[in-house]
Amino acid sequence: MQVFALGSVSASAMPPSCGMPRRFRVLADGFPSFLPKEVEKIKDPFARNFAKRIQRLPVPVKFSENLIMSTCVKPLKQNKENPVVFLHGFDSSCLEWRYTYPLLEEAGFEAWAVDILGWGFSDLEKLPPCDVASKRNHLYQFWNSYIRRPMILVGPSLGSAVAIDFTVNYPEAVEKLVLIDASVYAEGTGNLATLPRAAAYAGAYLLKSLPIRLYATYLAFSDISFNTILDWTNVGRLHCLLPWWEDATVDFMISGGYNVASQIGKVKQKTLIIWGENDRIISNKLAVRLHCELPDAIIRQISNCGHLPHVEKPDSVVKLIVEFVQRDSSKVNQFVSQM
């Protein structure tokens, strides 16, 4: 198993400013008005800049008469090459990619960061179903509306399960897969699916509580200060402050969630598995198992890194993705040699 040296984010990776669509108001310091006002308290400059680029795009879906105003970060310009599309993990948002996305953009790649239905910052006031089938159809309709080319689909943690489920059902939409510290062997939401609705709402309230989120952030990373843990927790739970978050979370919880273990062997696309050496949430033994079960996969480990390498070691993640996507490109070789 190859191990890559630790990476860090350079100041030059700060996302460039991007004007918001006219149909959305922005807050005084440039944030879109649909974000919770608590975004102003976030200190991380990368998160603040990335949040300013979040847009809502209309997406038609087959399970609702209403268009879903769906949040994403769009590329500043589109290329002829197939794009890289970033998903996020369980109950998270596109803000996970605040460090990695700008680096990949600097390398000349077209990238999208898309919020999975039921999480992130999409407008769910007219609450649609948020089960697996609805999440899958929403992602397909987003792809069909705006991307329309085979993509390199990147899924971290539970986003890996989302990516596998999507790829097996819509193989024409995916050129390659990248799975990061993949959570793909859980049997859905387990006993949570059988909870009475009132108990499920109590569980959702606990899930978004600051102590639980602080502990989850502490577990997710290898070695960060308390001040960073606190700020990254505020980034990670920002979407939980939207008024429909509890309803969407409970709907997903009682629907049964993702159970994709039987689908792994059906993935035909070339796959890159990335794993943090010090992941305290998912054992790296499962990375080896996943590597064995995927028909066409390579595996790479990042040293001194926890559960979210794209946040903790973005340079290393970008290097691996770039090499995987276009190994023979002189542009890529030049970029990799500079990192």
Side-chain angles (χ1 to χ4, degrees), residues 178-333:
V178 179
L179 307 178
I180 303 175
D181 289 72
S183 176
V184 293
Y185 291 110
E187 296 182 357
T189 54
N191 293 332
L192 296 177
T194 64
L195 286 176
R197 187 166 286 269
Y201 272 94
Y205 180 81
L206 183 64
L207 179 63
K208 79 170 182 179
S209 68
L210 187 58
I212 292 295
R213 293 278 172 160
L214 280 170
Y215 183 63
T217 304
Y218 163 75
L219 286 179
F221 299 102
S222 182
D223 184 21
I224 58 175
S225 69
F226 177 77
N227 287 338
T228 300
I229 290 175
L230 181 60
D231 195 46
W232 285 5
T233 298
N234 289 331
V235 173
R237 70 188 291 268
L238 183 65
H239 67 285
C240 301
L241 306 178
L242 292 170
W244 46 78
W245 176 83
E246 285 91 351
D247 294 332
T249 298
V250 168
D251 189 84
F252 174 73
M253 190 184 302
I254 64 178
S255 74
Y258 283 91
N259 189 345
V260 301
S262 63
Q263 295 178 299
I264 293 171
K266 299 177 183 179
V267 174
K268 306 303 180 186
Q269 287 80 353
K270 293 182 182 297
T271 304
L272 167 64
I273 302 167
I274 299 175
W275 217 272
E277 179 185 43
N278 301 330
D279 191 337
R280 294 184 287 181
I281 295 177
I282 301 177
S283 169
N284 56 16
K285 293 180 181 178
L286 293 179
V288 177
R289 176 182 172 183
L290 182 60
H291 183 220
C292 293
E293 293 181 1
L294 282 166
D296 190 359
I298 59 174
I299 186 170
R300 299 290 184 264
Q301 182 170 284
I302 299 177
S303 62
N304 302 314
C305 184
H307 183 61
L308 299 176
H310 53 295
V311 179
E312 194 170 359
K313 297 287 186 287
D315 289 21
S316 297
V317 170
V318 169
K319 176 180 178 180
L320 291 173
I321 292 176
V322 167
E323 290 177 336
F324 178 63
V325 172
Q326 293 183 339
R327 296 182 186 181
D328 299 326
S329 168
S330 58
K331 176 183 70 174
V332 171
N333 291 336

Side-chain angles (χ1 to χ4, degrees), residues 31 44 52 56 86 92-93 103 115 135 177 197 206 213 221 235 246 257 275 312 324:
F31 297 112
D44 183 341
K52 293 174 185 178
R56 279 179 173 170
F86 294 117
S92 185
S93 77
L103 288 172
D115 279 339
K135 291 179 189 293
L177 270 181
R197 187 166 286 269
L206 183 64
R213 293 278 172 160
F221 299 102
V235 173
E246 285 91 351
W275 217 272
E312 194 170 359
F324 178 63

